[in-house]
Every structure is written in C-alpha cells, then in structure tokens.
C-alpha cells in the first residue's frame, strides 16, 4: 500500500515537472537558429570566402558597437528615434481609439465616415511620404505625422470590431437592469472590447516602430537609427549597417516582449475582477 502511494506520488511529480522541462527546452530552441547563423557568419568571415568589404566580421561589428556606445552616438540616435516613435504612436492610438469607438457605436457615423476610412486604409503608408514631405518638410514634425498614420489604422480597425462584437446577451442584461447609454458603454461595451483594443494598440506599437526606420530613411533630416543605417550605407561601412540592423531588431523584440507582458498582466487583472 505504501509502495503504491509512493509510486503514485512520484508519477504525479514527474507529470507536473514535464511541462516545465518542455517549456524550458522550448525557450532554448529559439536560440538555435541565431547561434547557428552567428557561427556561420564568423566562419565565413574568418575563411575569407566572401569579400570582407561586403561581409564584415563579428569582431568588427562588436568594435563598432563599442565605439557607438562609448561616444554616445547610439544613445543620441536611439533617443531621437524612440521619442518620434512614442509621440507618433500616442497621437495615432488616441485618435484611433476615438474614431474606432465612434465607428463601432454610431451607425450614422459609420455610414458617413466608414466608406472614406475603408478607402484611406487601402492606401500604402509609404505613398503618403511625398505629400507629407511637401506639407511638413523633412523634420521631426513630418516623421511624427507619418508615424501617427502608421499607428492609427490598426487601432481604429480593432477598436471598431471589439465594440461591434460585444455579446448581445451582455447588452440585454444591461437593458434589463436599466443601464443608461453611458453606463452600458463604460461597464459593458468597453470591458468586452478591451482584448480587441489591446490587439490594435499592440499592432500600432510595432507598426509605428517599423515605420520609424522607414521615415528616417526616406525623410533623412535629423538624427536617428535610420540615419545611422544611411550613414553606414553611404560610406560603405557594413559594420555600422549590421550594427544598426541589430539595434532595430533588439528594440522591436523588447517592445514585443513588453506588450506581451502587459497583455498577460491585463488578463490576470481582468480574471481577478471577474
């Protein structure tokens, strides 16, 4: 009897530990491809298989990275890019929330504005560059306007869908309890739309960061990570180009990780509230 109990306990512990081991292995598997790519890069650079001017060594990229950090060039460029990105994201997200709520709640507003917005969102983002550069020049104002457009569309679309897809049963309960329109919106519609709204905000954050590099590359005035890439390209400094690409990827990854963390935290708080 005792032996049976012990073996059952051991089996239960083994089963509970298995998902943790699987999750840990899953995290490490994601490093296989990057590590392999870096090793291949290092081997090709050391062997001289590819022209060294085109394929710089990892050591040279690290030396360039150290120089950019020590001299402060990286922090100035990164600070300028993130300031533009967050400003454009904030403007686009706020306007997108307001427009999405109006489109989702008001059939009249949707009939008046919906067709125009649907046409607007079909226009490629970079098609606005010539018009924006003429109206606002090539400075920070033009870049922020461009980034606001990048953040606007996903927030509008997801907010509108979230508001429209409020479960009818919840609306019926609010009607039975005699909720006012404002109470129905704040206590029923808005909480039900939060996951969709968060998806829109998350996409806006990622899209605006990607658009930041495009804006700095096409609207070349000023300082930024995109300008760092241009400088490396124009002077044929592939180490600077590779370093700039690495910075862009790391910042994008950090934004994605922070957004996912905020999403899990929000889901946890909603679960506690329920």
């Amino acid at each position: 009897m005792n032996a049976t109990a012990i073996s059952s306990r051991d089996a239960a512990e083994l089963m509970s530990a298995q998902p943790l081991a699987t999750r840990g292995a899953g995290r490490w598997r994601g490093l296989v491809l990057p590590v392999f790519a870096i090793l291949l890069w290092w081997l090709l650079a050391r062997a001289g298989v590819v022209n060294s001017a085109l394929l710089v060594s990892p050591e040279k990229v690290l030396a360039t990275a150290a120089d950019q950090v020590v001299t402060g060039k990286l922090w100035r460029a990164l600070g300028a890019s993130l300031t533009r990105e967050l400003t454009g994201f904030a403007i686009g997200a706020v306007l997108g929330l307001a427009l999405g709520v109006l489109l989702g709640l008001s059939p009249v507003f949707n009939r008046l504005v919906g067709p125009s917005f649907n046409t607007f969102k079909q226009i490629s983002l970079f098609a606005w560059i010539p018009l924006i550069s003429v109206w606002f020049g090539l400075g920070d104002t033009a870049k922020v306007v461009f980034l606001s457009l990048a953040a606007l569309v996903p927030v509008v679309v997801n907010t509108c869908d979230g508001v429209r897809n409020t479960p009818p049963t919840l609306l019926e309960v609010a009607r039975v309890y005699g909720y006012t329109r404002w109470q129905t919106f704040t206590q029923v519609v808005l909480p039900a739309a939060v996951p969709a709204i968060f998806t829109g905000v998350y996409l806006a954050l990622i899209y605006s960061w990607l658009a930041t590099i495009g804006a700095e590359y096409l609207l070349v005035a000023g300082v930024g990570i995109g300008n760092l890439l241009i400088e490396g390209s124009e002077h044929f400094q592939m180490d600077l180009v590779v370093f700039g690409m690495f910075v862009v990827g790391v910042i994008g990854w950090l934004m994605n990780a922070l957004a996912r963390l905020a999403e899990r935290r929000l889901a946890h708080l909603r679960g506690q509230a329920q």
Side-chain angles (χ1 to χ4, degrees):
M1 188 74 176
N2 189 29
T4 304
I6 293 174
S7 62
S8 301
R9 186 175 67 242
D10 292 342
E13 290 177 355
L14 183 61
M15 292 177 66
S16 63
Q18 190 172 6
L20 293 174
T22 303
R23 288 197 296 270
R27 293 194 195 99
W28 289 109
R29 285 194 204 104
L31 295 175
V32 172
L33 183 58
V35 169
F36 175 77
I38 291 173
L39 284 175
L40 181 62
W41 172 26
W42 181 77
L43 288 172
L44 290 174
R46 289 295 297 267
V49 176
V50 182
N51 186 346
S52 59
L54 299 176
L55 184 68
V56 294
S57 66
E59 293 91 339
K60 190 169 184 180
V61 174
L62 286 174
T64 300
D67 177 70
Q68 290 288 317
V69 170
V70 171
T71 59
K73 293 179 181 179
L74 171 64
W75 309 122
R76 287 193 294 273
L78 194 57
S81 292
L82 288 175
T83 299
R84 295 184 193 111
E85 194 270 344
L86 293 175
T87 304
F89 163 74
I91 294 172
V94 170
L95 294 177
L97 284 170
L99 184 56
V101 167
L102 288 172
L103 287 171
L105 286 181
S106 173
V108 175
F109 187 82
N110 186 45
R111 284 194 293 269
L112 289 173
V113 179
S116 298
F117 175 75
N118 289 331
T119 303
F120 166 80
K121 72 181 183 181
Q122 302 304 322
I123 302 174
S124 171
L125 180 63
F126 288 95
W128 291 99
I129 287 286
L131 195 62
I132 290 174
S133 63
V134 170
W135 285 355
F136 300 100
L138 300 176
D140 283 350
T141 302
K143 293 170 186 174
V144 169
V145 170
F146 181 73
L147 300 181
S148 300
L149 293 178
L152 177 73
V153 173
V155 176
V156 173
V157 171
N158 284 276
T159 300
C160 180
D161 288 345
V163 170
R164 285 180 179 174
N165 293 328
T166 303
T169 52
L170 294 180
L171 296 175
E172 184 61 30
V173 170
R175 195 176 298 112
V176 168
Y177 279 93
Y179 280 20
T180 63
R181 287 187 177 182
W182 178 248
Q183 287 176 322
T184 301
F185 172 69
T186 56
Q187 299 180 34
V188 178
V189 175
L190 195 57
V194 163
I197 292 174
F198 188 88
T199 299
V201 172
Y202 165 73
L203 291 174
L205 183 64
I206 301 303
Y207 290 174
S208 58
W209 173 243
L210 297 177
T212 298
I213 308 306
E216 292 174 349
Y217 205 86
L218 296 172
L219 303 168
V220 294
V223 180
I225 296 298
N227 304 94
L228 196 71
L229 292 170
I230 294 173
E231 180 185 346
S233 177
E234 289 180 345
H235 294 88
F236 213 69
Q237 294 178 277
M238 293 300 103
D239 49 330
L240 189 58
V241 172
V242 173
F243 172 66
M245 292 173 63
F246 177 77
V247 171
V248 171
V250 168
I251 296 300
W253 179 83
L254 286 174
M255 287 184 176
N256 180 75
L258 290 173
R260 292 303 183 192
L261 180 63
E263 183 181 24
R264 288 194 295 269
R265 180 61 178 167
L266 180 62
H268 178 69
L269 291 175
R270 291 185 70 213
Q272 286 183 335
Q274 291 174 357

